[in-house]
Amino acid sequence: MKTNSLNKTALPAALAAALILAGCSGSGSKTEDKKAASDKTTFTVGFDSEFPPYGFKDGEDYTGFDLDLAQAVADYYGWELIKQPIDWDSKDMELNSGAIDCIWNGFTINGREDQYTWTAPYIDNSQVIVVKDGSGISSLDDLAGKVIEVQADSSALAALQGEDATDAGKKIAAAASQVVQVPNYNTAFMDLEAGAADAVAMDVGVANYQLSNRKGGFKILDDVISSEQYGIGFKKGNEELKNKVTDALNELDEKGTLDEIIKKWSTKDDGAYSFLETTWCWKK
């Protein structure tokens, strides 16, 4: 269900509200669930390796907020976590072939409700526009005649074009001189900096991360294109694994492990990894 506005509450504050994970298995004890889970030895998570802060490459290693959550689940059951970077356009093929167990990487539920088996949402998110400082663009109306870049097969693209496009997104796309799809947001920011693009449409969490780590020169417009929620997506019908992951996250929430991960990725000492415009939102 799409929301009309984004609750701009930092992750630690939202966690303090003690929102509870949903989608628990309806039968059997946690001991029985863990015993059943022991039959599995690996947990392969598909993710976009150029989608910080949720999943990305840092030196020789893959890291990110979602990958830390996945690692905690794997540790809970004694599974080996396999971090599998995927071509985002091929995510369905990877999932349906069994090459990955789930898609866990800032993966939007809205508009895909019937295509996957989902956990409860865990992040409220919005699609926003990023422009350069001094560009003269201060509102969505100022995007008329501009070149807008967006990641291929992303939620931002869906908000601008297609059957799930919002009214604001349709208006922007119709007025723009071009809507250009790029493979990742690093490319989009290089184009924006070089003047090859005038604006980038993207997830607010990713936008905050990019701006925080680039130390100035860009801004996020106040008006949002759409609001959405992230969940963990499993192959349609794979309720068993979805329930195991949800049960593990419930236990980790009670133990405070999720609190530690959220604090780690909320704001580093140097101001990087900012999630100040996103909201932790596990709900029933």
Side-chain angles (χ1 to χ4, degrees):
M1 178 176 68
K2 293 195 176 183
T3 56
N4 293 322
S5 61
L6 178 68
N7 180 7
K8 296 186 176 180
T9 305
L11 283 172
L15 185 69
L19 296 173
I20 302 172
L21 296 167
C24 297
S25 174
S27 62
S29 67
K30 290 184 175 63
T31 300
E32 290 169 341
D33 286 343
K34 289 193 72 172
K35 183 176 180 181
S38 67
D39 296 334
K40 186 174 178 61
T41 59
T42 60
F43 183 41
T44 304
V45 171
F47 68 101
D48 179 351
S49 63
E50 297 185 87
F51 197 67
Y54 299 98
F56 62 101
K57 195 167 188 178
D58 185 11
E60 295 301 313
D61 298 322
Y62 292 111
T63 188
F65 176 66
D66 284 351
L67 293 178
D68 278 1
L69 293 176
Q71 184 67 66
V73 169
D75 292 344
Y76 178 80
Y77 284 121
W79 296 336
E80 176 191 359
L81 177 65
I82 300 175
K83 304 173 183 179
Q84 184 59 57
I86 58 175
D87 181 340
W88 198 244
D89 289 339
S90 303
K91 60 186 178 297
D92 292 340
M93 180 184 69
E94 299 279 0
L95 186 62
N96 292 329
S97 70
I100 58 176
D101 291 317
C102 67
I103 302 168
W104 195 342
N105 191 212
F107 194 29
T108 302
I109 298 173
N110 309 80
R112 300 185 177 111
E113 290 88 347
D114 297 328
Q115 299 175 30
Y116 307 88
T117 289
W118 292 99
T119 62
Y122 64 97
I123 290 287
D124 278 333
N125 190 54
S126 287
Q127 297 303 319
V128 297
I129 295 289
V130 176
V131 298
K132 285 181 69 173
D133 284 338
S135 66
I137 301 172
S138 59
S139 71
L140 298 183
D141 289 339
D142 295 332
L143 295 170
K146 306 299 185 182
V147 176
I148 302 171
E149 290 197 348
V150 62
Q151 186 181 35
D153 198 32
S154 66
S155 297
L157 178 62
L160 292 171
Q161 300 176 338
E163 61 182 21
D164 293 322
T166 64
D167 289 343
K170 292 176 183 176
K171 183 178 178 181
I172 292 168
S177 65
Q178 282 184 287
V179 175
V180 180
Q181 297 183 44
V182 293
N184 56 69
Y185 286 118
N186 287 328
T187 298
F189 269 88
M190 285 191 292
D191 288 346
L192 187 59
E193 194 160 22
D198 299 299
V200 180
M202 62 196 308
D203 297 28
V204 69
V206 181
N208 277 311
Y209 175 88
Q210 292 282 357
L211 269 62
S212 174
N213 286 278
R214 291 175 187 274
K215 307 299 183 185
F218 305 93
K219 67 178 182 180
I220 301 172
L221 300 187
D222 290 336
D223 295 329
V224 303
I225 307 172
S226 69
S227 296
E228 62 187 23
Q229 294 177 318
Y230 289 164
I232 307 162
F234 298 83
K235 185 177 179 179
K236 186 73 172 177
N238 193 355
E239 296 285 343
E240 180 182 8
L241 185 54
K242 182 266 290 187
N243 287 337
K244 287 176 182 177
V245 170
T246 299
D247 288 346
L249 288 170
N250 275 316
E251 288 286 311
L252 293 167
D253 187 30
E254 292 179 10
K255 292 178 180 179
T257 304
L258 299 187
D259 192 7
E260 294 173 5
I261 296 171
I262 289 165
K263 287 178 178 178
K264 169 186 173 181
W265 287 97
S266 288
T267 307
K268 289 283 192 178
D269 291 340
D270 62 0
Y273 302 155
S274 174
F275 268 80
L276 298 180
E277 299 295 330
T278 57
T279 305
W280 178 252
C281 71
W282 278 110
K283 335 176 165 171
K284 287 196 175 236

